[in-house]
Amino acid sequence: MANKPTPASSKKNIARDELQTPKGTRDLIGDNLLHYQGFFEKAAEIALYYGFTPIETPILEKESLFTRAVGDGTDIVDKEMYTLKTKGGDRLALRPEGTAAVMRSYFENGFQSKPQPVMLYYHGPFFRHENPQRGRYRQFYQFGLEIMGSSKSIADATIIRLTSLILQEVGLKDLTIKINSIGDKESQASYRRELTNYYKKHARMICPDCRDRLKNNPLRVLDCKNPKCAPIKQEAPETLEFLSPDSKAHFKQVLEYLGSMGINYEIDSTLVRGLDYYSHTVFEISTTPKDDANNTVPSTAPLSIAGGGRYDYLGKILSGKKDVPSMGAAIGVDRLFDLPSFSKPTPRIVKKPKVFFIQLSFDAKLRCFEIIEILRRAKVPVAQSLTKDSLSAQLATAERLNVSYALILGQKEALEGTVIVRNMDTRSQDTIKVDKLPEYLKKMK
Ligand code: HAM
């Protein structure tokens, strides 16, 4: 059947929509993108110093990986995951988080037979179909750290220390670290029983979602944001009261490590985190209103900048074989940009130009790449606007960039193999042979 012609007005609408990014996503451009790269570079450098190595997993994974790892009944899996069916019939998901994929990779790449623990870091985009608002995007960026194959409390302490260290190194102040323990399997089973009994007693006062959660995944009642459930949640039993002796001892050691490192923390007995794979230590880092000179972060509900915890049982859930005791965390990089104290690091590849290259005439344009390349090899950062012709336009750009020297290549210089070096402050000029240029510029401040 022939396509019906599209009416002119709807064509216009389609064109306008097509020129916009999907809701909750955005382009990262220029300095903004450089600050993301600068942050990743800095965080990766710290992670490398502490013995972590990089990993990059695909943005697409099998849907079942997250359904099993993060859990049916969690908001991430039930409401927020982007899933798709390929033409071949595979069910895939855009990754909503990184831990499940790193654990998948641990098995797929035989990390079990390497010295334990395996310490990995990663960064990149993640996807959750959430309601976009300040600090909440549908495509967002995380920097993650995972220590896999150790049940020792020092692994928990390492992750918490490194996460807060990275945030401090990019200028953040007044961080609040909330920490809790949800214990091992045994502790979780008795807590779940107690929580279910407690909620059942108040079944008529809770929202329909929580009634479902109670049947399918009781711990998730604690993620409920419905004001109707808030008073019930507030009085709910606390995880710490149900810890087995081993879990208690583990948590006590973690707190001792934090204390000895001078890391301040608050124990938050309501913290369980919205992903099913956690056991033992869970923690979140948020800013306090003091870091909010512009009043962008509401003091009532600070957004969490980073979160993580132990996930001792995820290995077995995914592989069906043995447990891989592990601990990790991820920093939400987009949220750092809302904080006035964020230093917005710039990556090392970005060089402040020392000279501005000006070319006058076609003969000069023909030689310009030769000169720029001589300077690049000598590691002298150069700015230029090769598409411009006039001296005044190029000088104006040089002044705007606040560079110390302008290199001027006119027709005469192009023929003689020289270039004029103009000091932009004193306006004094020297004519220099092109091959002597790097040497000359290196002597200048
Ligand atoms: P998560 O708490 O779901 O944990 O996410 C970590 C951080 O990502 C959050 O603290 C937040 O800063 C940021 N984030 C989450 N959702 C959004 C969003 N829609 N927009 C902007 N930022 C967001 C995890 O993902 C775990 N995989 C962390 C982990 C690693 N646990 C163990 N290892």
Side-chain angles (χ1 to χ4, degrees), residues 33-46 123 141-144 163 166-167 169-170 172 331-333 336-337 342-347:
L33 175 56
L34 288 174
H35 296 321
Y36 272 79
Q37 291 172 350
F39 173 79
F40 289 139
E41 186 183 276
K42 190 152 206 132
E45 187 180 24
I46 295 171
H123 52 81
Y141 293 81
Q142 283 188 349
F143 181 89
T163 311
I166 291 169
L167 295 174
E169 287 282 304
V170 293
L172 298 202
I331 296 173
V333 185
L336 306 181
F337 284 79
F342 180 44
S343 64
K344 299 191 177 166
T346 302

Side-chain angles (χ1 to χ4, degrees), residues 149-397:
S150 170
S151 58
K152 296 281 167 58
S153 51
I154 197 160
D156 308 32
T158 307
I159 290 289
I160 300 172
R161 176 187 168 78
L162 270 197
T163 311
S164 65
L165 180 66
I166 291 169
L167 295 174
Q168 279 164 15
E169 287 282 304
V170 293
L172 298 202
K173 295 189 186 79
D174 303 315
L175 297 171
T176 302
I177 303 179
K178 292 198 167 159
I179 187 166
N180 192 22
S181 172
I182 53 176
D184 53 13
K185 263 189 195 140
E186 190 193 321
S187 326
Q188 287 180 34
S190 45
Y191 178 67
R192 208 174 293 122
R193 224 175 297 122
E194 191 67 21
L195 187 72
T196 312
N197 287 341
Y198 166 80
Y199 264 77
K200 274 187 179 157
K201 279 188 214 143
H202 300 91
R204 271 187 292 155
M205 288 153 75
I206 58 177
C207 71
D209 276 356
C210 275
R211 255 176 254 138
D212 283 347
R213 289 175 179 130
L214 223 44
K215 275 187 229 140
N216 306 325
N217 194 346
L219 213 59
R220 300 280 66 96
V221 294
L222 300 173
D223 302 333
C224 181
K225 290 176 192 81
N226 191 326
K228 193 177 166 186
C229 299
I232 312 289
K233 195 167 104 179
Q234 208 171 355
E235 298 298 317
E238 297 181 352
T239 57
L240 291 180
E241 287 167 29
F242 298 85
L243 294 188
S244 66
D246 283 354
S247 301
K248 234 183 238 169
H250 181 92
F251 192 47
K252 192 165 164 274
Q253 282 182 5
V254 174
L255 299 184
E256 264 177 47
Y257 278 121
L258 298 185
S260 76
M261 291 187 279
I263 296 177
N264 292 329
Y265 58 83
E266 288 171 20
I267 294 181
D268 178 352
S269 55
T270 62
L271 183 69
V272 291
R273 310 229 336 112
L275 300 97
D276 272 359
Y277 51 60
Y278 288 116
S279 54
H280 291 283
T281 316
V282 284
F283 77 102
E284 277 184 3
I285 303 184
S286 54
T287 47
T288 54
K290 275 194 223 151
D291 192 28
D292 188 24
N294 301 339
N295 243 356
T296 47
V297 182
S299 54
T300 42
L303 280 177
S304 88
I305 296 169
R310 198 159 253 296
Y311 47 99
D312 287 355
Y313 310 118
L314 179 60
K316 193 164 184 181
I317 292 172
L318 293 183
S319 70
K321 292 179 191 144
K322 62 174 196 138
D323 286 325
V324 182
S326 305
M327 169 78 193
I331 296 173
V333 185
D334 312 82
R335 293 187 178 174
L336 306 181
F337 284 79
D338 287 334
L339 304 171
S341 59
F342 180 44
S343 64
K344 299 191 177 166
T346 302
R348 280 203 202 103
I349 50 158
V350 176
K351 310 277 184 249
K352 189 177 173 329
K354 184 174 178 181
V355 299
F356 191 90
F357 178 75
I358 294 174
Q359 35 64 43
L360 308 164
S361 83
F362 187 67
D363 283 336
K365 274 192 171 43
L366 288 177
R367 292 206 61 186
C368 67
F369 293 113
E370 182 196 327
I371 294 171
I372 293 173
E373 184 54 17
I374 286 173
L375 293 173
R376 185 187 72 81
R377 283 171 192 256
K379 297 197 180 345
V380 179
V382 197
Q384 37 76 12
S385 43
L386 298 179
T387 54
K388 294 220 167 71
D389 299 325
S390 86
L391 176 64
S392 58
Q394 294 181 71
L395 271 176
T397 317

